Amino acid sequence: MFKQYFINVIRNKYADFNGRARRSEYWYFTLFNMLIGIVVSLIAMLIGDWFSYVYSLALLVPGIAVGVRRLHDIGKSGWWCFICLIPLIGAIWLIILFCKEGDRGANAYGEDPKA
């Protein structure tokens, strides 16, 4: 069940920056991305770093897209992703935003994904 979030983001919402993403969609995608990334890094140690680079590049766009949709769920613009450029405080604030509960009902970015 949990891997379905990861597969759904990769297969159906690869570069979809519109709409909203629930907390569970964002965090399960992030969790599986990190776990697969660890395995890919171990394999890359054996066959070469290029394997890790290809994986990272392939998951860059969907990772940003699901983050933008997560921000849309709390009523923030996707441009808030750039707050992480502020050293230390920006990354902490972005994590706090990703942890917030989404807006109930429709907002400017679409219908409530829980509905």
Side-chain angles (χ1 to χ4, degrees):
M1 158 134 175
F2 302 125
K3 67 180 178 179
Q4 286 302 111
Y5 288 110
F6 182 80
I7 293 169
N8 186 40
V9 169
I10 299 300
R11 186 179 296 158
N12 301 328
K13 300 178 181 179
Y14 188 86
D16 184 10
F17 292 87
N18 297 315
R20 296 166 61 174
R22 296 175 61 181
R23 280 185 291 190
S24 56
E25 180 181 0
Y26 175 79
W27 288 111
Y28 283 128
F29 173 80
T30 302
L31 172 68
F32 278 99
N33 190 20
M34 289 176 64
L35 293 175
I36 294 170
I38 290 169
V39 172
V40 167
S41 295
L42 294 174
I43 294 170
M45 290 170 45
L46 299 173
I47 65 172
D49 288 339
W50 65 269
F51 190 65
S52 180
Y53 297 145
V54 168
Y55 176 79
S56 296
L57 283 174
L59 276 273
L60 179 66
V61 172
I64 294 170
V66 75
V68 168
R69 289 195 315 272
R70 178 71 204 121
L71 289 170
H72 287 173
D73 192 40
I74 61 170
K76 302 276 187 207
S77 168
W79 291 104
W80 275 87
C81 283
F82 289 112
I83 199 168
C84 69
L85 296 175
I86 300 171
L88 190 63
I89 296 169
I92 292 169
W93 186 250
L94 191 59
I95 290 171
I96 290 169
L97 290 176
F98 286 152
C99 291
K100 285 181 65 176
E101 184 177 358
D103 294 344
R104 294 179 188 260
N107 68 12
Y109 300 101
E111 292 295 322
D112 188 353
K114 286 186 178 181

